[in-house]
Amino acid sequence: MKLSPRSPRDFWSGLIFMAFGLGFAWVAHDYPMGSTRRMGPGMFPFALALILAGLGAIVLLRSLLVVGEPIGRLNLKGLFLVTAGALLFGLLIEKAGLVAAVAAAVITSSIASVHFSARRAVISAVVLVVFSAVVFVYAVGLPVKLFGPWLGF
Amino acid sequence: MEFLGNLALGFSVALTPSHLLYCFIGVFLGTVIGVLPGLGPVAAIAMLLPTTFALSPAASLIMLAGIYYGAQYGGSTTAILINLPGDASSVVTAIDGYRMAQQGRAGPALATAALSSFFAGTVATLLLAMFAPALARVALQFGPAEYFSLMVLGLVASVILANGSLIKAIAMIILGLLFGLVGTDVTSGVQRFAFGSPNLADGLDVVVVAMGMFGLGEIIRNLEHEHNRQINASKVGGLRLSRSDARRIVLPTLRGTALGSALGILPGGGALLSSFAAYSVEKKVSPNAAEFGNGAIEGVAAPEAANNAGAQTSFVPMLTLGLPSNPVMALMIGAMVIQGITPGPQVMTQQPALFWGVIASMWIGNLFLVVLNLPLIGIWVRMLSVPYYYLFPAILIFCAIGVYSLNNNSSNVYLMAAFGILGYVLARLDCEPAPLLLGFVLGPVMEEFFRRSMTISGGDAMIFVQRPLSAVLLTCSLIAALSIAVPAFRRTREVAFRED
């Protein structure tokens, strides 16, 4: 018998809280607990993690009983592209330099917009590359190379 | 009259050329960012926080404070002009402010917002100067148990207004506390939740968490309903108040200021609570109540005064007790810690120049806002029309570079991306990110106070209720938490958020 949650949002929140709670508790229970008089590094996080898991369970149970709004469509395209943009930046900044990192991040994330066009993305990229180079490298003095080893520099 | 001496000290610090400059930069940048659609004070401060590391503690706090109310004012501007509040505390301003703009009265609305905010800021600064020392003196009597209970109260109170279920908000707080504990435990030297990574052993950076959840997460949310807005630019006209307008805003401004100042000091209070409360009160009390919702100028004056007063007085618990009332204060605490200053009552006695300098500069910042913004309205209006598809990659880049610059390490960028995903997903599931940030900032401190209390009591947890002040604070927390269950209060909360 399938028990579908009446409140999907609470259902998944509850699951996530329980996952984090149990996860933190699992890691923390290996740390020295100490005594209540002299708390070790493990006690406070372990207790908090259990409370979190408990609250998660309550939210989960409630989701099976109390009706809530459906989640609606997640902006997976935006989520993926913005995250990918940030990740690309992190990946490229040291190996390929600021120019490549900024350009890649801008173009990738721009695709997430409903008004995306290649022309607009390129304009954004150029403006932001120049802006970042002038403000962050020349003015502020951020220690990054404009062009990195992967591009042959 | 000791506060006059303190203010004098403060102004002598705040009026130095470099501090004036940073105040101005902060206010200017804050307004710019507040005006841009999709960015609010939290994002503004998170993005600009790394730039303050190179500055002296006083200069960085002055600049950050300037950014805060600059962004608040920018958010009010967009609330009035395009019905898009930059921050939740400007939501109420939009109700009558936008109607006024639609009626061609954007000029008076903007002027009202500026003037009533300035008045409120002046009064709030005076109140801060008068009462902060007294509050700090009380706080110096606090022991670890009282501090712990105070923080519990602060955290619970801050989620009273959270949109959505209290249990989920508390869960977010605890999740934030746990993230705050990542890193090396100061007392025992043990690395917690670091999984062997030297970066994590130093702990998660508040900038990483804030930019991830409030920066990236917000971008992804905003992309869900991307549309470019029409501005009532043609009707902004002159920023002048007619005589009758000016007469009408006097009392609402006074009432808003009083309410905002009182509510801002409470743990959990601040601009948001103040603006909603002021609007409701004004609507009940005003002779022109019938006009509310249709462009009543009182509906702009009262909440604007309240949110500015609330914003400034919310610095009090932060500066004197180290207690953040809202995410912005949490970031300020983060900034102070990074600068090597532990927030708390000792700041006033150990660093009086810093403390009073920051307070004095808040007034100066308010002055800059009035002087700066009224003439520059035209530029702000033009900036409002920057399409979001140009804006959000820029936000992403600023966040990415800012986070990278923390220690020239890409792992912070990856962590920011992870928090972006987490922030977005949780927000879609009706879990507010703000409580997580508050818990994050307070995590290590709360543990420390808890530990010390337990050591003092010899392992007995009853110490928290045996010590009278601590017991009172915990009882207030309980009352606050239970008040959510009371139907009347529940209805007020829902009404407040239906305007969203």
Side-chain angles (χ1 to χ4, degrees), chain B residues 3-16:
Chain B
F3 84 95
L4 284 178
N6 290 327
L7 275 180
L9 170 64
F11 276 106
S12 72
V13 171
L15 287 172
T16 61

Side-chain angles (χ1 to χ4, degrees), chain B residues 1-348:
Chain B
M1 287 282 130
E2 146 197 4
F3 84 95
L4 284 178
N6 290 327
L7 275 180
L9 170 64
F11 276 106
S12 72
V13 171
L15 287 172
T16 61
S18 75
H19 287 158
L20 273 178
L21 177 67
Y22 287 120
C23 183
F24 179 77
I25 293 177
V27 167
F28 183 78
L29 285 178
T31 312
V32 166
I33 294 185
V35 159
L36 291 172
L39 280 176
V42 183
I45 294 181
M47 283 201 299
L48 293 168
L49 198 64
T51 61
T52 64
F53 295 161
L55 303 174
S56 75
S60 81
L61 283 179
I62 287 175
M63 190 169 127
L64 289 172
I67 294 171
Y68 179 31
Y69 34 88
Q72 197 117 71
Y73 183 70
S76 303
T77 306
T78 63
I80 292 172
L81 288 179
I82 57 175
N83 201 22
L84 190 79
D87 180 57
S89 62
S90 309
V91 163
V92 196
T93 309
I95 301 174
D96 278 278
Y98 184 61
R99 279 300 288 146
M100 285 180 73
Q102 286 176 318
Q103 293 162 1
R105 304 230 301 146
L110 290 167
T112 302
L115 291 172
S116 55
S117 293
F118 178 67
F119 177 81
T122 308
V123 170
T125 306
L126 282 172
L127 287 175
L128 246 146
M130 286 196 279
F131 292 117
L135 192 59
R137 263 193 293 269
V138 169
L140 280 168
Q141 318 268 357
F142 280 15
E146 284 78 15
Y147 270 113
F148 180 81
S149 304
L150 180 67
M151 289 182 171
V152 170
L153 174 62
L155 286 173
V156 171
S158 70
V159 300
I160 299 289
L161 276 197
N163 197 4
S165 95
L166 184 67
I167 294 188
K168 290 206 283 197
I170 293 183
M172 288 297 272
I173 290 178
I174 296 185
L175 185 58
L177 288 170
L178 284 167
F179 281 128
L181 295 177
V182 170
T184 307
D185 175 30
V186 177
T187 312
S188 64
V190 169
Q191 287 185 4
R192 295 189 289 192
F193 310 115
F195 306 116
S197 147
N199 191 47
L200 285 179
D202 279 334
L204 290 168
D205 202 293
V206 65
V207 176
V208 168
V209 175
M211 288 213 201
M213 299 191 82
F214 290 90
L216 296 197
E218 271 301 300
I219 290 177
I220 304 171
R221 283 209 86 169
N222 287 335
L223 285 173
E224 287 171 356
H225 24 84
E226 221 189 320
H227 49 266
N228 294 315
R229 298 143 202 110
Q230 291 289 48
I231 312 165
N232 292 305
S234 53
K235 302 200 185 120
V236 171
L239 281 156
R240 260 167 279 111
L241 282 178
S242 70
R243 267 250 180 105
S244 64
D245 281 340
R247 246 197 313 259
R248 280 173 68 175
I249 66 173
V250 170
L251 285 179
T253 303
L254 283 170
R255 283 190 281 259
T257 304
L259 204 52
S261 304
L263 291 176
I265 297 191
L266 298 177
L272 175 58
L273 176 60
S274 307
S275 65
F276 275 98
Y279 189 82
S280 315
V281 165
E282 199 55 38
K283 197 166 175 183
K284 290 212 180 77
V285 163
S286 168
N288 298 314
E291 272 185 55
F292 274 61
N294 270 314
I297 201 170
E298 293 88 344
V300 173
E304 279 300 304
N307 80 10
N308 206 35
Q312 295 212 195
T313 51
S314 71
F315 273 85
V316 172
M318 193 280 284
L319 284 173
T320 57
L321 302 170
L323 193 72
S325 303
N326 51 61
V328 171
M329 292 303 133
L331 286 173
M332 297 279 183
I333 289 184
M336 287 176 82
V337 169
I338 289 171
Q339 294 274 2
I341 304 175
T342 318
Q346 72 284 354
V347 173
M348 193 179 303

Side-chain angles (χ1 to χ4, degrees), chain A residues 85-86 89-90 93 97-99 101-103 105-106 127-137 140-146, chain B residues 46-51 53 207-208 211 216 393-410 412-413 416:
Chain A
F89 181 91
I93 179 104
L98 183 78
V99 172
V102 172
V106 170
V127 167
L128 284 170
V129 164
V130 170
F131 185 86
S132 312
V134 167
V135 171
F136 292 110
V137 178
V140 171
L142 193 70
V144 284
K145 300 201 216 48
L146 284 178
Chain B
M47 283 201 299
L48 293 168
L49 198 64
T51 61
F53 295 161
V207 176
V208 168
M211 288 213 201
L216 296 197
I395 300 173
L396 174 64
I397 294 299
F398 292 148
C399 287
I401 294 184
V403 156
Y404 177 77
S405 70
L406 289 173
N407 50 12
N408 291 324
N409 198 332
S410 288
N412 277 334
V413 180
M416 175 184 74

Side-chain angles (χ1 to χ4, degrees), chain A residues 90-120:
Chain A
L91 198 63
L92 292 174
I93 179 104
E94 276 164 6
K95 300 289 168 55
L98 183 78
V99 172
V102 172
V106 170
I107 295 183
T108 309
S109 61
S110 292
I111 302 177
S113 162
V114 293
H115 300 287
F116 169 76
S117 79
R119 185 175 143 267
R120 286 171 179 164

Side-chain angles (χ1 to χ4, degrees), chain B residues 349-371:
Chain B
T349 43
Q350 287 170 7
Q351 305 237 20
L354 170 77
F355 186 86
W356 294 106
V358 171
I359 291 180
S361 83
M362 289 202 235
W363 184 79
I364 295 179
N366 272 283
L367 189 62
F368 278 142
L369 271 177
V370 171
V371 163

Side-chain angles (χ1 to χ4, degrees), chain A residues 1 6-7 11 15 29-30 35 37 45 49 54 59-60 64 68 73 101 104 108-109 121 123 152:
Chain A
M1 180 185 85
R6 296 200 181 155
S7 171
F11 181 77
L15 268 186
H29 97 280
D30 280 329
S35 64
R37 173 200 300 247
V59 173
L60 187 76
L64 298 175
R73 268 184 51 213
T108 309
S109 61
I123 295 176

